[in-house]
Amino acid sequence: MAFRLAHLKDARARAVIEAAVKLAAEDRGDLPRGLGFARYKNLSAYVCCIAEVALDRATGAVRVPRVWSAVDAGQVVTPDGLLNQIEGGIIQAVSWTVKEDLPFDAKGILAKDWSQYPILGFAEVPKLRTAVLNRPDQPPLGAGRRARARPGRRWRMRSRARSASGCGRCPTRPSG
């Protein structure tokens, strides 16, 4: 984080990262944590997320017990709506990253209906804490899609989670 902040000139981006770090520092834990920052299309809301990651070495299953986030969407018109967008996006991104899988072989897709497509269950939803940096002097930036990573980032996040847990080549899911 220090490296990123040392090279980041955008004061609003810095403020979002610092707010997420401060929020996460209030909750102690022994699990590894990873930080992600984005400004959607370089024009919209700023979001920083810090995810706590757990790895079951026996199965290779990755879990995200807690996520702390901060968002700057300019002037906040509907605070509850902003939280719903950001936290809902985080839950969707965690599901994409640790659960969702579409198995296929040379003949095509093996999952034939939604019952065969895994998604995050209610018991697996991480505990979320979000700091909103309201900027009433700035125009609203919008918040839809801000907390979700693109598909390529999901695989990098999964790989980093395994590396941080000391299991660089654990399987995505048990085989057999």
Side-chain angles (χ1 to χ4, degrees), residues 5 11 23 30 36 38 45 56 62 65 71 73 79-80 85 94 99 101 114 122-123 126 130-131 152 163 167 172 176:
L5 290 174
L23 201 61
D30 295 328
D56 181 326
V62 176
V71 58
D80 191 50
Q85 284 291 323
V94 169
K99 292 289 278 197
D101 187 27
W114 287 110
F122 287 114
T130 302
S163 294
C167 188
T172 300

Short mmCIF file of all heavy atoms in Angstrom, two decimals, residues 5 11 23 30 36 38 45 56 62 65 71 73 79-80 85 94 99 101 114 122-123 126 130-131 152 163 167 172 176:
data_model
loop_
_atom_site.label_atom_id
_atom_site.label_comp_id
_atom_site.label_asym_id
_atom_site.label_seq_id
_atom_site.Cartn_x
_atom_site.Cartn_y
_atom_site.Cartn_z
N LEU A 5 0.50 4.42 -2.59
CA LEU A 5 0.23 5.79 -2.13
C LEU A 5 1.36 6.74 -2.49
O LEU A 5 1.11 7.91 -2.79
CB LEU A 5 -0.04 5.81 -0.63
CG LEU A 5 -1.37 5.18 -0.20
CD1 LEU A 5 -1.46 5.13 1.33
CD2 LEU A 5 -2.55 5.93 -0.78
N ALA A 11 -5.73 13.00 -5.10
CA ALA A 11 -6.04 13.11 -3.66
C ALA A 11 -7.29 12.31 -3.27
O ALA A 11 -7.35 11.74 -2.18
CB ALA A 11 -6.21 14.57 -3.27
N LEU A 23 -10.42 1.60 8.19
CA LEU A 23 -11.57 0.77 8.58
C LEU A 23 -11.11 -0.67 8.89
O LEU A 23 -11.49 -1.24 9.91
CB LEU A 23 -12.61 0.78 7.46
CG LEU A 23 -14.03 0.42 7.79
CD1 LEU A 23 -14.63 1.39 8.80
CD2 LEU A 23 -14.87 0.45 6.51
N ASP A 30 -6.08 -12.80 11.99
CA ASP A 30 -4.85 -13.52 11.64
C ASP A 30 -4.79 -13.92 10.17
O ASP A 30 -3.75 -14.39 9.71
CB ASP A 30 -4.73 -14.78 12.51
CG ASP A 30 -4.57 -14.45 13.98
OD1 ASP A 30 -3.98 -13.40 14.29
OD2 ASP A 30 -5.04 -15.24 14.81
N GLY A 36 -7.56 -3.98 -3.11
CA GLY A 36 -7.81 -3.67 -4.51
C GLY A 36 -8.40 -2.27 -4.61
O GLY A 36 -9.18 -1.84 -3.77
N ALA A 38 -9.93 0.73 -7.57
CA ALA A 38 -10.31 1.02 -8.95
C ALA A 38 -11.08 2.32 -9.01
O ALA A 38 -11.75 2.72 -8.06
CB ALA A 38 -11.16 -0.11 -9.53
N ALA A 45 -16.87 6.68 -9.89
CA ALA A 45 -16.62 6.51 -8.46
C ALA A 45 -15.29 5.81 -8.18
O ALA A 45 -14.84 4.97 -8.95
CB ALA A 45 -17.76 5.73 -7.81
N ASP A 56 -8.74 -23.35 2.56
CA ASP A 56 -8.78 -24.71 3.11
C ASP A 56 -7.79 -25.52 2.28
O ASP A 56 -8.04 -25.84 1.12
CB ASP A 56 -10.20 -25.28 2.99
CG ASP A 56 -10.33 -26.68 3.55
OD1 ASP A 56 -9.36 -27.48 3.45
OD2 ASP A 56 -11.41 -26.98 4.09
N VAL A 62 -11.47 -21.48 -1.33
CA VAL A 62 -11.14 -20.14 -0.85
C VAL A 62 -12.40 -19.52 -0.27
O VAL A 62 -13.49 -19.65 -0.83
CB VAL A 62 -10.59 -19.25 -1.99
CG1 VAL A 62 -10.33 -17.84 -1.51
CG2 VAL A 62 -9.33 -19.86 -2.57
N PRO A 65 -14.03 -14.15 4.50
CA PRO A 65 -14.88 -13.91 5.67
C PRO A 65 -15.28 -12.45 5.87
O PRO A 65 -16.37 -12.18 6.34
CB PRO A 65 -14.04 -14.39 6.85
CG PRO A 65 -12.91 -15.16 6.28
CD PRO A 65 -12.73 -14.69 4.88
N VAL A 71 -15.72 4.21 -0.49
CA VAL A 71 -16.18 4.68 -1.79
C VAL A 71 -16.31 6.20 -1.77
O VAL A 71 -16.75 6.79 -0.80
CB VAL A 71 -17.52 4.02 -2.19
CG1 VAL A 71 -18.61 4.28 -1.17
CG2 VAL A 71 -17.97 4.47 -3.58
N ALA A 73 -18.15 8.58 -4.37
CA ALA A 73 -19.00 8.70 -5.56
C ALA A 73 -19.44 10.14 -5.74
O ALA A 73 -20.52 10.41 -6.28
CB ALA A 73 -20.20 7.77 -5.44
N PRO A 79 -27.80 7.79 0.16
CA PRO A 79 -26.78 7.01 0.87
C PRO A 79 -27.07 5.51 0.94
O PRO A 79 -26.17 4.69 0.71
CB PRO A 79 -26.75 7.62 2.27
CG PRO A 79 -27.30 9.01 2.09
CD PRO A 79 -28.29 8.91 0.97
N ASP A 80 -28.30 5.12 1.22
CA ASP A 80 -28.64 3.71 1.30
C ASP A 80 -28.48 3.04 -0.06
O ASP A 80 -28.00 1.91 -0.17
CB ASP A 80 -30.05 3.52 1.85
CG ASP A 80 -30.34 2.06 2.20
OD1 ASP A 80 -29.52 1.46 2.90
OD2 ASP A 80 -31.37 1.55 1.75
N GLN A 85 -25.44 -0.61 -3.73
CA GLN A 85 -24.69 -0.84 -4.96
C GLN A 85 -23.29 -1.36 -4.67
O GLN A 85 -22.85 -2.35 -5.26
CB GLN A 85 -24.58 0.46 -5.78
CG GLN A 85 -25.82 0.83 -6.50
CD GLN A 85 -26.14 -0.14 -7.63
OE1 GLN A 85 -25.27 -0.63 -8.32
NE2 GLN A 85 -27.41 -0.41 -7.82
N VAL A 94 -17.18 -11.48 -4.91
CA VAL A 94 -16.69 -12.61 -4.10
C VAL A 94 -17.27 -13.91 -4.63
O VAL A 94 -16.55 -14.90 -4.76
CB VAL A 94 -17.02 -12.40 -2.60
CG1 VAL A 94 -16.75 -13.68 -1.80
CG2 VAL A 94 -16.22 -11.23 -2.03
N LYS A 99 -16.58 -19.05 -5.94
CA LYS A 99 -17.58 -20.10 -6.11
C LYS A 99 -17.95 -20.41 -7.56
O LYS A 99 -18.04 -21.56 -7.94
CB LYS A 99 -18.88 -19.73 -5.37
CG LYS A 99 -18.79 -19.73 -3.88
CD LYS A 99 -18.67 -21.11 -3.33
CE LYS A 99 -20.02 -21.76 -3.24
NZ LYS A 99 -20.08 -22.91 -2.40
N ASP A 101 -18.43 -21.30 -11.22
CA ASP A 101 -17.63 -22.14 -12.11
C ASP A 101 -18.57 -22.76 -13.13
O ASP A 101 -19.63 -23.28 -12.77
CB ASP A 101 -16.95 -23.23 -11.27
CG ASP A 101 -15.97 -24.06 -12.07
OD1 ASP A 101 -15.42 -23.54 -13.06
OD2 ASP A 101 -15.75 -25.22 -11.70
N TRP A 114 -29.45 -24.21 -13.57
CA TRP A 114 -28.92 -23.37 -12.48
C TRP A 114 -28.57 -24.18 -11.24
O TRP A 114 -27.74 -23.76 -10.43
CB TRP A 114 -29.90 -22.26 -12.13
CG TRP A 114 -29.92 -21.20 -13.19
CD1 TRP A 114 -30.95 -20.94 -14.05
CD2 TRP A 114 -28.89 -20.28 -13.51
NE1 TRP A 114 -30.61 -19.93 -14.90
CE2 TRP A 114 -29.34 -19.49 -14.58
CE3 TRP A 114 -27.62 -20.05 -13.01
CZ2 TRP A 114 -28.58 -18.48 -15.15
CZ3 TRP A 114 -26.85 -19.04 -13.58
CH2 TRP A 114 -27.33 -18.27 -14.63
N PHE A 122 -26.00 -17.69 1.45
CA PHE A 122 -26.13 -16.67 2.49
C PHE A 122 -25.11 -16.84 3.61
O PHE A 122 -24.55 -15.87 4.11
CB PHE A 122 -27.55 -16.65 3.05
CG PHE A 122 -28.55 -16.06 2.12
CD1 PHE A 122 -29.56 -16.85 1.58
CD2 PHE A 122 -28.50 -14.73 1.76
CE1 PHE A 122 -30.49 -16.31 0.70
CE2 PHE A 122 -29.41 -14.18 0.88
CZ PHE A 122 -30.42 -14.97 0.35
N ALA A 123 -24.84 -18.05 4.01
CA ALA A 123 -23.88 -18.31 5.10
C ALA A 123 -22.45 -17.97 4.70
O ALA A 123 -21.59 -17.81 5.56
CB ALA A 123 -23.97 -19.76 5.55
N PRO A 126 -19.55 -12.49 3.02
CA PRO A 126 -18.63 -11.90 3.98
C PRO A 126 -19.28 -10.81 4.82
O PRO A 126 -20.26 -10.18 4.39
CB PRO A 126 -17.52 -11.32 3.11
CG PRO A 126 -18.10 -11.16 1.76
CD PRO A 126 -19.20 -12.18 1.63
N THR A 130 -18.38 -0.57 5.21
CA THR A 130 -18.11 0.38 4.13
C THR A 130 -18.10 1.80 4.65
O THR A 130 -19.01 2.21 5.37
CB THR A 130 -19.17 0.25 3.02
OG1 THR A 130 -19.15 -1.09 2.53
CG2 THR A 130 -18.90 1.20 1.87
N ALA A 131 -17.07 2.54 4.27
CA ALA A 131 -16.98 3.97 4.57
C ALA A 131 -17.38 4.74 3.32
O ALA A 131 -16.88 4.46 2.22
CB ALA A 131 -15.56 4.35 4.99
N GLY A 152 -10.91 -11.21 -15.63
CA GLY A 152 -9.48 -11.49 -15.53
C GLY A 152 -8.93 -11.18 -14.15
O GLY A 152 -8.06 -11.87 -13.63
N SER A 163 -1.49 -17.71 -3.04
CA SER A 163 -0.10 -17.37 -2.74
C SER A 163 0.03 -16.80 -1.34
O SER A 163 0.94 -17.15 -0.59
CB SER A 163 0.43 -16.36 -3.76
OG SER A 163 0.48 -16.96 -5.03
N CYS A 167 -0.08 -21.46 -0.48
CA CYS A 167 -0.47 -22.61 -1.30
C CYS A 167 -0.62 -22.13 -2.74
O CYS A 167 -1.73 -21.97 -3.23
CB CYS A 167 -1.76 -23.21 -0.77
SG CYS A 167 -2.19 -24.77 -1.57
N THR A 172 -8.54 -25.28 -7.77
CA THR A 172 -9.69 -24.40 -7.60
C THR A 172 -10.79 -25.10 -6.83
O THR A 172 -11.48 -24.51 -6.03
CB THR A 172 -10.21 -23.97 -8.99
OG1 THR A 172 -9.17 -23.30 -9.67
CG2 THR A 172 -11.41 -23.07 -8.87
N GLY A 176 -12.26 -35.30 -8.74
CA GLY A 176 -12.55 -36.68 -8.40
C GLY A 176 -13.93 -37.08 -8.51
O GLY A 176 -14.90 -36.85 -8.91
#
